[in-house]
Protein backbone atom coordinates (compact mmCIF):
# COMPACT_ATOMS: atom_id res chain seq x y z
CA UNK A 1 0.00 0.00 0.00
CA UNK A 2 1.51 3.33 -1.08
CA UNK A 3 0.68 6.44 0.91
CA UNK A 4 0.05 9.82 -0.74
CA UNK A 5 -0.06 11.71 2.57
CA UNK A 6 2.29 14.48 3.51
CA UNK A 7 2.82 13.98 7.17
CA UNK A 8 4.36 16.49 9.54
CA UNK A 9 7.03 15.35 11.95
CA UNK A 10 7.70 17.60 14.93
CA UNK A 11 11.09 17.17 16.52
CA UNK A 12 14.58 18.47 17.11
CA UNK A 13 17.89 17.58 15.53
CA UNK A 14 19.37 16.34 18.80
CA UNK A 15 16.59 14.03 20.03
CA UNK A 16 17.58 10.39 19.48
CA UNK A 17 13.93 9.29 19.36
CA UNK A 18 13.28 11.85 16.63
CA UNK A 19 16.34 10.69 14.69
CA UNK A 20 15.12 7.09 14.78
CA UNK A 21 11.77 8.10 13.32
CA UNK A 22 13.34 10.41 10.73
CA UNK A 23 15.58 7.57 9.59
CA UNK A 24 12.52 5.35 9.15
CA UNK A 25 10.72 7.99 7.06
CA UNK A 26 13.85 8.71 5.00
CA UNK A 27 14.77 5.08 4.38
CA UNK A 28 11.21 4.35 3.26
CA UNK A 29 11.12 7.55 1.20
CA UNK A 30 7.83 8.58 2.78
CA UNK A 31 6.87 12.17 1.96
CA UNK A 32 6.82 14.32 5.08
CA UNK A 33 7.65 17.77 6.37
CA UNK A 34 10.13 17.81 9.21
CA UNK A 35 9.41 20.76 11.50
CA UNK A 36 11.91 21.66 14.21
CA UNK A 37 9.88 22.26 17.36
CA UNK A 38 11.45 21.98 20.81
CA UNK A 39 8.73 21.26 23.41
CA UNK A 40 10.19 23.70 25.93
CA UNK A 41 10.38 26.65 23.56
CA UNK A 42 7.70 29.30 24.01
CA UNK A 43 5.38 28.94 21.04
CA UNK A 44 5.99 25.22 20.67
CA UNK A 45 2.94 23.42 19.30
CA UNK A 46 4.02 20.04 20.66
CA UNK A 47 1.81 20.03 23.77
CA UNK A 48 -1.17 21.00 21.66
CA UNK A 49 -0.83 17.93 19.48
CA UNK A 50 0.69 15.44 21.94
CA UNK A 51 -0.73 15.62 25.47
CA UNK A 52 2.55 14.20 26.75
CA UNK A 53 4.37 17.25 25.40
CA UNK A 54 7.06 15.09 23.84
CA UNK A 55 8.76 14.70 20.52
CA UNK A 56 8.69 12.97 18.10
CA UNK A 57 5.09 13.72 17.21
CA UNK A 58 3.84 12.75 13.77
CA UNK A 59 0.77 14.58 12.51
CA UNK A 60 -1.24 12.88 9.80
CA UNK A 61 -3.39 14.54 7.12
CA UNK A 62 -6.55 14.21 9.23
CA UNK A 63 -4.73 15.84 12.22
CA UNK A 64 -4.29 12.54 14.06
CA UNK A 65 -1.14 12.81 16.13
CA UNK A 66 0.96 9.64 16.37
CA UNK A 67 3.32 9.13 19.33
CA UNK A 68 5.61 7.84 20.75
CA UNK A 69 8.59 6.78 18.62
CA UNK A 70 7.96 2.99 18.55
CA UNK A 71 4.34 3.64 17.54
CA UNK A 72 5.42 6.09 14.84
CA UNK A 73 8.04 3.68 13.52
CA UNK A 74 5.58 0.80 13.41
CA UNK A 75 2.87 2.89 11.73
CA UNK A 76 5.27 4.35 9.16
CA UNK A 77 6.56 0.89 8.35
CA UNK A 78 3.07 -0.20 7.30
CA UNK A 79 2.76 2.62 4.74
CA UNK A 80 4.88 0.92 2.13
CA UNK A 81 7.03 -2.16 1.64
CA UNK A 82 10.18 -0.45 0.41
CA UNK A 83 11.81 -1.64 2.52
CA UNK A 84 9.95 -3.53 5.23
CA UNK A 85 11.78 -2.51 8.40
CA UNK A 86 9.83 -4.62 10.91
CA UNK A 87 9.31 -8.24 9.82
CA UNK A 88 5.62 -8.96 9.36
CA UNK A 89 5.25 -12.72 9.04
CA UNK A 90 8.00 -14.17 11.19
CA UNK A 91 6.92 -13.63 14.79
CA UNK A 92 10.34 -14.35 16.26
CA UNK A 93 12.19 -12.11 13.82
CA UNK A 94 9.64 -9.38 14.51
CA UNK A 95 10.15 -9.75 18.25
CA UNK A 96 13.94 -9.61 17.81
CA UNK A 97 13.75 -6.37 15.81
CA UNK A 98 11.44 -4.84 18.42
CA UNK A 99 13.82 -6.02 21.13
CA UNK A 100 16.74 -4.32 19.39
CA UNK A 101 14.61 -1.19 19.34
CA UNK A 102 13.92 -1.59 23.07
CA UNK A 103 17.67 -1.91 23.72
CA UNK A 104 18.42 1.19 21.66
CA UNK A 105 15.58 3.15 23.27
CA UNK A 106 16.80 2.05 26.69
CA UNK A 107 20.29 3.38 25.91
CA UNK A 108 18.66 6.65 24.83
CA UNK A 109 16.54 6.77 28.00
CA UNK A 110 19.56 6.28 30.25
CA UNK A 111 21.67 8.77 28.31
CA UNK A 112 18.87 11.34 28.64
CA UNK A 113 18.76 10.74 32.41
CA UNK A 114 22.54 11.22 32.66
CA UNK A 115 22.35 14.38 30.55
CA UNK A 116 19.46 15.75 32.66
CA UNK A 117 21.42 15.10 35.87
CA UNK A 118 24.60 16.64 34.51
CA UNK A 119 23.00 19.93 33.54
CA UNK A 120 21.61 20.40 37.05
CA UNK A 121 23.56 22.46 39.57
CA UNK A 122 26.38 20.32 40.99
CA UNK A 123 24.82 20.14 44.48
CA UNK A 124 21.53 18.89 43.05
CA UNK A 125 23.03 16.07 40.99
CA UNK A 126 22.63 12.49 42.16
CA UNK A 127 25.94 10.74 41.42
CA UNK A 128 24.34 7.36 42.20
CA UNK A 129 21.70 7.92 39.55
CA UNK A 130 24.30 8.97 36.98
CA UNK A 131 26.40 5.91 37.79
CA UNK A 132 23.45 3.50 37.58
CA UNK A 133 22.40 4.76 34.20
CA UNK A 134 25.94 4.90 32.84
CA UNK A 135 26.41 1.29 33.92
CA UNK A 136 23.18 0.32 32.17
CA UNK A 137 24.47 1.98 28.99
CA UNK A 138 27.79 0.12 29.26
CA UNK A 139 26.03 -3.22 29.77
CA UNK A 140 23.65 -2.57 26.90
CA UNK A 141 26.52 -1.62 24.58
CA UNK A 142 28.38 -4.82 25.44
CA UNK A 143 25.18 -6.77 24.84
CA UNK A 144 24.44 -5.25 21.44
CA UNK A 145 28.08 -5.57 20.35
CA UNK A 146 28.01 -9.27 21.20
CA UNK A 147 24.66 -9.74 19.44
CA UNK A 148 25.81 -7.88 16.34
CA UNK A 149 29.16 -9.66 16.09
CA UNK A 150 30.76 -8.90 12.73
CA UNK A 151 27.38 -8.80 11.00
CA UNK A 152 26.43 -6.17 8.44
CA UNK A 153 23.00 -5.70 10.01
CA UNK A 154 21.54 -6.16 13.47
CA UNK A 155 18.89 -8.62 12.37
CA UNK A 156 18.99 -10.84 9.30
CA UNK A 157 20.61 -9.91 5.99
CA UNK A 158 19.07 -6.50 5.40
CA UNK A 159 18.42 -3.16 7.06
CA UNK A 160 15.69 -3.13 9.70
CA UNK A 161 14.40 -0.78 12.35
CA UNK A 162 16.98 -2.38 14.65
CA UNK A 163 19.85 -0.74 12.73
CA UNK A 164 18.15 2.65 12.60
CA UNK A 165 17.35 2.61 16.33
CA UNK A 166 20.83 1.52 17.37
CA UNK A 167 22.52 4.08 15.11
CA UNK A 168 20.32 6.81 16.63
CA UNK A 169 21.30 5.78 20.15
CA UNK A 170 25.01 5.85 19.24
CA UNK A 171 24.77 9.28 17.60
CA UNK A 172 23.22 10.56 20.82
CA UNK A 173 25.97 8.99 22.93
CA UNK A 174 28.59 10.69 20.76
CA UNK A 175 26.76 13.98 21.22
CA UNK A 176 26.19 13.84 24.99
CA UNK A 177 28.98 11.56 26.18
CA UNK A 178 31.91 12.23 23.83
CA UNK A 179 34.22 11.05 26.59
CA UNK A 180 32.75 7.53 26.38
CA UNK A 181 35.09 5.63 24.08
CA UNK A 182 32.64 2.93 23.00
CA UNK A 183 34.50 2.47 19.70
CA UNK A 184 37.65 1.26 21.46
CA UNK A 185 35.61 -1.06 23.70
CA UNK A 186 33.59 -2.47 20.79
CA UNK A 187 35.50 -2.30 17.49
CA UNK A 188 33.00 -4.36 15.46
CA UNK A 189 30.19 -2.10 16.63
CA UNK A 190 32.34 0.85 15.54
CA UNK A 191 32.82 -0.65 12.05
CA UNK A 192 29.10 -1.29 11.73
CA UNK A 193 28.34 2.28 12.80
CA UNK A 194 30.85 3.70 10.31
CA UNK A 195 29.03 1.82 7.54
CA UNK A 196 25.65 3.06 8.81
CA UNK A 197 26.96 6.63 8.81
CA UNK A 198 27.53 6.34 5.05
CA UNK A 199 23.82 5.93 4.37
CA UNK A 200 22.05 8.90 2.79
CA UNK A 201 19.39 8.83 5.50
CA UNK A 202 22.02 9.22 8.21
CA UNK A 203 23.74 12.05 6.34
CA UNK A 204 20.43 13.90 5.96
CA UNK A 205 19.53 13.38 9.63
CA UNK A 206 22.96 14.58 10.76
CA UNK A 207 23.03 17.62 8.50
CA UNK A 208 21.22 19.93 10.94
CA UNK A 209 23.15 18.83 14.02
CA UNK A 210 25.85 21.15 15.27
N1 LIG B 1 9.49 7.22 24.80
C1 LIG B 1 9.40 8.43 24.03
C2 LIG B 1 10.46 9.42 24.50
C3 LIG B 1 10.30 10.80 23.86
C4 LIG B 1 11.05 11.85 24.65
O1 LIG B 1 11.29 11.72 25.86
N2 LIG B 1 11.43 12.93 23.98
C5 LIG B 1 12.06 14.05 24.64
C6 LIG B 1 13.11 14.68 23.74
S1 LIG B 1 14.53 13.66 23.56
C7 LIG B 1 11.04 15.12 24.95
O2 LIG B 1 10.22 15.41 24.12
N3 LIG B 1 11.09 15.68 26.17
C8 LIG B 1 10.17 16.70 26.58
C9 LIG B 1 10.83 18.01 26.82
O3 LIG B 1 11.97 18.20 26.35
O4 LIG B 1 10.20 18.86 27.44
C10 LIG B 1 9.54 8.11 22.55
O5 LIG B 1 10.10 7.06 22.24
O6 LIG B 1 9.05 8.87 21.70
Amino acid sequence: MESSMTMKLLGTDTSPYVRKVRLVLLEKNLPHDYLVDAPRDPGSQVARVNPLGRIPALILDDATCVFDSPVIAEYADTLNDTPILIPRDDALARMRVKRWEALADGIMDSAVVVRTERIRAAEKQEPGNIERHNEAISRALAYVAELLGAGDFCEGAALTLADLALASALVYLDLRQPERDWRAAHPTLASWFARMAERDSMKVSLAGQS
Side-chain angles (χ1 to χ4, degrees), residues 12 15-17 20 39-40 53-56 68-70 105 109 112:
T12 63
S15 166
Y17 313 97
K20 177 182 66 174
R40 293 177 202 194
R54 292 185 194 156
I55 48 169
D68 52 4
S69 67
D105 285 5
D109 294 344
V112 167

Side-chain angles (χ1 to χ4, degrees), residues 3-185:
S3 166
S4 60
M5 296 186 305
T6 301
M7 306 174 281
K8 290 186 178 53
L9 178 68
L10 305 188
T12 63
D13 290 342
T14 50
S15 166
Y17 313 97
V18 171
R19 186 177 316 284
K20 177 182 66 174
V21 163
R22 286 190 76 197
L23 291 175
V24 169
L25 297 175
L26 289 164
E27 286 287 346
K28 292 178 74 74
N29 212 8
L30 288 164
H32 66 282
D33 294 325
Y34 169 56
L35 305 175
V36 173
D37 188 334
R40 293 177 202 194
D41 281 357
S44 168
Q45 63 164 313
V46 172
R48 286 202 293 279
V49 295
N50 176 0
L52 299 172
R54 292 185 194 156
I55 48 169
L58 183 73
I59 306 171
L60 308 185
D61 263 6
D62 69 353
T64 299
C65 182
V66 189
F67 51 86
D68 52 4
S69 67
V71 180
I72 298 173
E74 186 153 4
Y75 171 71
D77 194 44
T78 62
L79 296 179
N80 69 31
D81 295 352
T82 50
I84 292 174
L85 293 173
I86 308 174
R88 296 183 187 159
D89 303 325
D90 180 339
L92 275 177
R94 183 178 177 85
M95 177 278 291
R96 284 194 298 265
V97 166
K98 298 289 289 179
R99 196 178 68 145
W100 274 104
E101 183 186 26
L103 280 164
D105 285 5
I107 293 170
M108 298 174 196
D109 294 344
S110 283
V112 167
V113 170
V114 171
R115 156 86 179 161
T116 308
E117 282 284 352
R118 282 185 178 159
I119 59 177
R120 288 154 70 100
E123 69 276 10
K124 291 192 176 154
Q125 293 182 16
E126 277 187 55
N129 202 27
I130 294 176
E131 198 181 332
R132 243 188 337 275
H133 282 280
N134 269 333
E135 284 172 4
I137 294 169
S138 299
R139 281 194 308 271
L141 288 176
Y143 190 95
V144 296
E146 169 87 25
L147 213 52
L148 178 66
D152 284 338
F153 298 102
C154 292
E155 176 64 34
L159 184 86
T160 66
L161 174 63
D163 301 286
L164 305 180
L166 183 56
S168 302
L170 293 173
V171 169
Y172 189 70
L173 276 186
D174 281 347
L175 178 71
R176 297 300 190 212
Q177 301 194 3
E179 72 285 359
R180 180 189 282 276
D181 199 358
W182 61 266
R183 287 174 178 79

